[in-house]
Amino acid sequence: MDADVIVVGAGLAGLVAAAEIADTGHNVIVLDQEPEQSLGGQAYWSLGGLFFVDSPEQRRMGIKDSLQLARQDWMGSAQFDRDSDYWPKQWAESYLDFAAGEKRAWLRQMGHRVIPVIGWAERGDGRAEGHGNSVPRFHITWGTGPGLLALFERRCRDHVRSGKLRFAFRHRVDELVVTNGEVAGVRGSELAPDLTRRGAPSNRDVVADFELTAQAVIVTAGGIGANHDLVRKNWPTRLGTPPKHMVSGVPAYVDGRMLGIAQAAGANVINSDRMWHYVEGIRNLSPIWENHGIRILPGPSSLWLDSEGKRLPGPYYPGCDTLGTLGHLRRNGHEYSWFVLTQKIIQKEFALSGSEQNPDLTGKDIKLLVSRIGAKTAPGPVEDFKRYGEDFVVADSLEELVEGMNRVGDPGKWVDVDYLRVLMEDRDRELVNPYGKDAQLTMMRSHRKHRGDRILRTAVPHRLLDPKNGPLIAVRLNILTRKTLGGLETDLRGRCLLADGSPMPGLYAAGEVNGFGGGGMMGYNALEGTFLAGCLFSGRVAGRAAASAVS
């Protein structure tokens, strides 16, 4: 054997699995088709948000959370309803116990820290029993995605020095070796060296073939988000028709290739139609990969319009119900939508998802972070997008704003200035009293009771058409591909299953490639902070299980 265990994929789940295996004294090889500078995969570009339940940080902010409430929210969001949901549901239960239990202590002993203000993501569909987080649970890693990755890269590098772990970059797996029904290794192509920067497309020039053997193989090769043809092929009818145009929230190597390779070897793939794409995507000012988009993390105050300028119905308000909003737009034929807001809203509520867009958090710059509070401008990266972003329109009058929206929008999708004026006047008139019938304004007022929203994320409700709150801003929001919620079916040890439900000897999976656990532990919806956390949990489970199974 070349190693006790082979891990395919050097993203977060792969690093966690490899570190856990090497901790037991076993030898592990980590293969990745990308060059070393892309170590960590998608997690590097993330905001580092993690889902915790009843954490000390929550309690300090007066947030009353519990495992029971988290389970209610998770199951109301997942909506498990298929025979194939047996293992995903088991994984969900196990993960919730982890998130409410040892997860924080496990990370903290490695040096992990979070910022003290807890975010409120996916605020829900308006039903206690339905989708969404009843309380804030989005804990942002101090150092964002790179800070989280560093914990596990450090562990892996220590094992490289001890000889227990070997990285093999530019090694693309093309086939799982199956001998007598058992996965015994991998075959693939060694690719030419490539000095391209992290995340940028690398060459696919083959310089040699390779074959490696091991007692177990763990697949941690990610999802399908950059393969738009495959996204469209798997697009579910419940979300309308697949869009003709999307922007990519992940690098080009997130193409679903290993899903097909594992399936060809006999592993069972389930819930391929479950996916997680955002509706607040903007085209990046400084793209790293082709069609590079990033997501706006909105507060609750922007007016949300479809591509023809009609207000979206409740509960499709900013930050509330991602897939519900996506389904509404696509069922009605909209390829994009609009936020309409003011300078007061953008300076308080707009954040951009991603490590590179948050230099204060990524760089652990306390002074820069504190400067956000009470600032008269948005954070620097947001202001840059406002000035130079091709999806942004800034104007001093509504007429000028709508003219810009019609210039940026698609031909034939015209916003009517008179309709929009009446809509905004009606909305503004509701602010005369501290109560009213506009559900979005009621939500905004309610959410300002949460200290995190009041300090950093929710502007004081104000009139959109009052010039002192301006200028007016409109943002074209594109559909942004991101996460795969289905994948390789696995049991609670991370073992890949055959179509008959029995384990496939020697094959394990972790991370996005198995829907973060079981083949889709989030069901139809996600509560955010669960993608990185799903990689951590499933990587740990698969790594420990594989290590215990090999001699």
Side-chain angles (χ1 to χ4, degrees), residues 216-274:
V217 174
I218 305 178
V219 177
T220 67
I224 68 172
N227 187 338
H228 290 192
D229 289 338
L230 192 54
V231 168
R232 293 186 184 96
K233 179 182 178 181
N234 290 326
W235 193 273
T237 56
R238 66 181 176 274
L239 294 179
T241 57
K244 296 176 182 177
H245 172 76
M246 298 175 282
V247 292
S248 287
V250 293
Y253 53 73
V254 187
D255 57 8
R257 191 170 172 277
M258 275 306 301
L259 271 168
I261 290 170
Q263 191 172 27
N268 196 37
V269 174
I270 59 175
N271 300 321
S272 297
D273 63 321
R274 292 179 183 170

Side-chain angles (χ1 to χ4, degrees), residues 468-483:
K468 72 180 181 183
N469 298 320
L472 290 168
I473 303 163
V475 187
R476 173 177 166 147
L477 305 173
N478 307 282
I479 295 170
L480 175 79
T481 62
R482 188 59 68 84
K483 292 292 188 293

Side-chain angles (χ1 to χ4, degrees), residues 256-437:
R257 191 170 172 277
M258 275 306 301
L259 271 168
I261 290 170
Q263 191 172 27
N268 196 37
V269 174
I270 59 175
N271 300 321
S272 297
D273 63 321
R274 292 179 183 170
M275 53 188 72
W276 188 259
H277 306 305
Y278 292 109
V279 281
E280 309 101 335
I282 54 176
R283 289 165 283 194
N284 203 341
L285 279 178
S286 303
I288 296 170
W289 52 84
E290 185 179 356
N291 196 24
H292 186 176
I294 58 173
R295 184 199 176 201
I296 292 172
L297 299 174
S301 302
S302 297
L303 198 63
W304 206 337
L305 313 175
D306 64 27
S307 61
E308 296 176 334
K310 304 299 189 295
R311 189 179 186 183
L312 301 192
Y316 307 136
Y317 307 127
C320 286
D321 186 352
T322 293
L323 289 194
T325 306
L326 175 60
H328 171 81
L329 291 171
R330 291 306 309 141
R331 286 190 297 272
N332 289 280
H334 300 290
E335 291 272 324
Y336 62 94
S337 58
W338 292 100
F339 276 165
V340 172
L341 59 148
T342 64
Q343 178 64 29
K344 282 191 175 180
I345 292 173
I346 200 172
Q347 69 194 34
K348 186 71 173 283
E349 298 192 4
F350 266 39
L352 300 173
S353 180
S355 55
E356 79 280 19
Q357 304 296 337
N358 292 275
D360 49 354
L361 301 175
T362 303
K364 301 182 180 181
D365 189 329
I366 295 176
K367 183 177 180 181
L368 185 57
L369 176 62
V370 171
S371 71
R372 288 192 185 194
I373 302 174
K376 298 301 182 184
T377 62
V382 175
E383 283 290 334
D384 287 343
F385 272 91
K386 190 186 82 174
R387 292 190 186 99
Y388 309 116
E390 57 186 302
D391 294 308
F392 283 71
V393 179
V394 182
D396 292 322
S397 70
L398 186 59
E399 290 79 6
E400 184 184 355
L401 185 78
V402 171
E403 180 182 347
M405 293 169 71
N406 289 332
R407 184 173 59 251
V408 171
D410 289 351
K413 296 289 185 180
W414 298 102
V415 178
D416 182 84
V417 66
D418 294 328
Y419 168 86
L420 186 53
R421 184 186 304 280
V422 171
L423 177 63
M424 295 171 74
E425 287 175 345
D426 288 349
R427 181 262 186 204
D428 286 358
R429 202 172 286 118
E430 292 279 309
L431 290 168
V432 172
N433 297 292
Y435 45 83
K437 69 178 181 181

Side-chain angles (χ1 to χ4, degrees), residues 1 14 58 69 118 129 149 212 353 367 390 441 473 512:
M1 293 289 175
Q58 286 175 298
L69 184 60
I118 311 305
E129 75 281 11
L149 274 174
L212 295 168
S353 180
K367 183 177 180 181
E390 57 186 302
L441 290 174
I473 303 163
E512 192 177 354

Side-chain angles (χ1 to χ4, degrees), residues 33 170-172 174 188-193 203-210 257:
Q33 68 180 355
R170 304 300 285 154
H171 281 64
R172 183 186 69 196
D174 300 322
S189 304
E190 186 175 348
L191 305 178
N203 74 67
R204 293 293 180 262
D205 301 333
V206 176
V207 297
D209 297 327
F210 72 89
R257 191 170 172 277

